[in-house]
Amino acid sequence: MIYSQSAKRSIDILCKSLRNHVQSPHFRASIVPQYANQNRFMVRNYGSEAPVSEQMSLIKQLRERTSAPIKEVKAALVTCDWDIDAAQKDLRKRGVILASKKSSRTAAEGLLALAQNENKAAVIELNCETDFVARNDIFRCLAASLAKLALLVDNSQQLSGAFPIGPEYFEGLKLDVEHPKLSGERTVQNAITEVAAMMGENVKLRRGYAMSMSSYGVMSTYLHASPQPGLGRIASILSLEVEDQNAPLDAVQRVGSELAMHVVAAKPSFLTKELVSSEAINNEREILKSQAEASGKPPMAIEKMVEGRLRKYFEEVVLMEQKFVVNDSVNVKTLLSNLSKEVGSPVKIGNFLRMEVGEGLQSLEAAGAPEDLAQAA
């Protein structure tokens, strides 16, 4: 009986202590907000683990907000004791640091983005590490926004040809990516860094080019392996100039579109034979001569073989000498001659440009060499 009364007093003291604790403001503040208006509530002490179901829900919500990798999302939530708003801020800071660490990794995948108006076209190359990121809509949206910005770069002092627009032209410029997860105006570098943080990969603006019309004619473009308008893995820009400003342009536009596709497929390096450097010709002649001498034929025959193969070389690398991919019974020179007769005015190719994602990037980085220009007239 004495034992029972003692136990009863102990229980009464314990219950009173618990009632006082429940009424404490510190206890009420620890109630999880999302359960405050429900019949049941959950108590979370500082530093304790959230239930597994809540963890999964918070991870999913933060992933939807930021598109960051799951590993980084969970790490930020754990660091911030599963406070999603604090974790989002922490993730942004963490992402910037991680993005800077990833900046030395090779980024040879990505997309070309092309923007165009009536008299000008611009193309940029935005690189990443994997094709998976190149398919992400945030990455694609950033690439398209950068191309539109490149179209605004002033190249009025450029007389002809493709005007290079390197990353330095974008320093200090601002853009709005116009994506729900990256909305609002920010500098180009900050936008790239934030996308790199979201994707968990190195993201790099490698290069860009712009081309303007200097006379009457049409500007034609083509994108190959295009997942959506304005984006692709291979791009070409080509201008056709018409001497008579009263000449109709319908046929010129049609041929221009076909020639832009031809440039992507045929990979020309020069516009005319006269633009092929003497060094390139001498190197090719030396290689062809060595190959011909291996046949054991007399010197006169070897010379004819070299000249014949040199003509073949011009047909491979010179745009005007190449066979037209749409109709290989004519070359590009003949095609333009026929077009000139059709419109009643001389038509010529003003400039052309061809770009491909990652071309030469691996070998350049391995050698530590600067980049060459894209293939252009």
Side-chain angles (χ1 to χ4, degrees):
M1 184 68 179
I2 295 174
Y3 175 80
S4 300
Q5 290 177 347
S6 176
K8 184 178 180 181
R9 282 197 300 271
S10 298
I11 292 172
D12 290 340
I13 293 171
L14 179 60
C15 291
K16 183 177 180 181
S17 176
L18 284 172
R19 282 195 299 271
N20 292 335
H21 182 63
V22 169
Q23 293 171 358
S24 168
H26 298 290
F27 179 85
R28 289 197 300 272
S30 67
I31 298 176
V32 181
Q34 59 263 43
Y35 297 114
N37 296 323
Q38 299 181 13
N39 292 329
R40 59 189 177 88
F41 60 83
M42 178 180 65
V43 177
R44 183 196 300 166
N45 294 322
Y46 179 80
S48 64
E49 285 285 331
V52 175
S53 59
E54 187 190 356
Q55 288 182 17
M56 298 303 295
S57 176
L58 290 170
I59 290 172
K60 181 180 178 182
Q61 290 178 51
L62 192 53
R63 276 273 292 165
E64 290 174 350
R65 286 189 188 183
T66 65
S67 293
I70 292 179
K71 181 180 178 182
E72 302 301 332
V73 166
K74 184 176 180 181
L77 284 166
V78 170
T79 300
C80 299
D81 194 25
W82 299 92
D83 183 327
I84 190 169
D85 292 325
Q88 185 172 351
K89 293 179 181 178
D90 179 75
L91 192 60
R92 186 173 180 181
K93 296 176 183 177
R94 185 197 301 267
V96 170
I97 296 171
L98 291 173
S100 64
K101 290 181 179 179
K102 295 180 176 74
S103 62
S104 61
R105 299 197 320 216
T106 300
E109 285 292 333
L111 284 171
L112 302 177
L114 193 150
Q116 181 181 3
N117 56 32
E118 187 176 346
N119 298 313
K120 186 177 180 181
V123 59
I124 63 97
E125 179 177 359
L126 186 66
N127 294 126
C128 55
E129 296 177 45
T130 65
D131 182 62
F132 176 78
V133 167
R135 295 196 299 268
N136 187 282
D137 62 335
I138 300 177
F139 182 88
R140 291 178 175 182
C141 197
L142 173 62
S145 298
L146 288 170
K148 293 176 183 176
L149 190 61
L151 195 63
L152 302 178
V153 172
D154 181 20
N155 64 323
S156 56
Q157 296 180 350
Q158 183 76 6
L159 297 178
S160 63
F163 176 72
I165 306 174
E168 64 276 8
Y169 281 87
F170 294 88
E171 289 182 5
L173 296 182
K174 294 184 177 181
L175 80 166
D176 189 345
V177 180
E178 297 180 358
H179 190 280
K181 296 178 182 177
L182 201 67
S183 60
E185 193 176 64
R186 54 186 34 85
T187 65
V188 169
Q189 186 54 52
N190 285 345
I192 293 173
T193 301
E194 287 187 42
V195 171
M198 291 178 179
M199 302 297 103
E201 288 190 6
N202 182 18
V203 175
K204 177 182 178 183
L205 174 59
R206 180 186 177 194
R207 54 182 176 163
Y209 293 90
M211 187 184 293
S212 300
M213 286 290 298
S214 58
S215 59
Y216 182 68
V218 300
M219 181 78 71
S220 300
T221 61
Y222 180 76
L223 281 164
H224 181 67
S226 177
Q228 65 188 58
L231 300 175
R233 289 189 58 83
I234 310 175
S236 67
I237 305 173
L238 178 138
S239 63
L240 284 179
E241 300 176 356
V242 184
E243 190 173 299
D244 184 1
Q245 296 192 9
N246 296 316
L249 293 179
D250 291 348
V252 180
Q253 289 174 339
R254 171 178 53 80
V255 173
S257 297
E258 293 174 344
L259 279 173
M261 181 176 64
H262 171 97
V263 168
V264 165
K267 301 181 181 180
S269 300
F270 308 94
L271 178 57
T272 65
K273 288 194 294 185
E274 291 73 25
L275 294 175
V276 182
S277 66
S278 58
E279 182 181 359
I281 294 175
N282 291 335
N283 287 340
E284 189 65 21
R285 190 186 294 276
E286 185 178 340
I287 293 171
L288 295 175
K289 186 176 181 181
S290 299
Q291 293 173 348
E293 288 174 344
S295 66
K297 293 185 177 181
M300 288 290 292
I302 288 175
E303 189 63 28
K304 290 182 179 179
M305 290 173 64
V306 170
E307 292 304 315
R309 291 177 181 178
L310 195 58
R311 285 194 296 272
K312 183 68 175 176
Y313 166 73
F314 287 135
E315 291 176 3
E316 291 175 353
V317 300
V318 176
L319 178 55
M320 293 295 286
E321 306 299 322
Q322 288 178 333
K323 290 184 177 181
F324 187 36
V325 295
V326 177
N327 177 10
D328 61 7
S329 65
V330 297
N331 62 14
V332 174
K333 184 189 295 183
T334 303
L335 174 72
L336 291 178
S337 177
N338 294 338
L339 177 62
S340 297
K341 294 175 183 177
E342 182 179 350
V343 301
S345 174
V347 181
K348 67 176 183 178
I349 296 174
N351 305 293
F352 79 92
L353 164 73
R354 183 186 188 277
M355 279 178 63
E356 187 168 350
V357 170
E359 56 186 348
L361 190 57
Q362 297 282 5
S363 58
L364 284 168
E365 292 195 355
E371 294 191 30
D372 295 327
L373 294 179
Q375 295 176 1

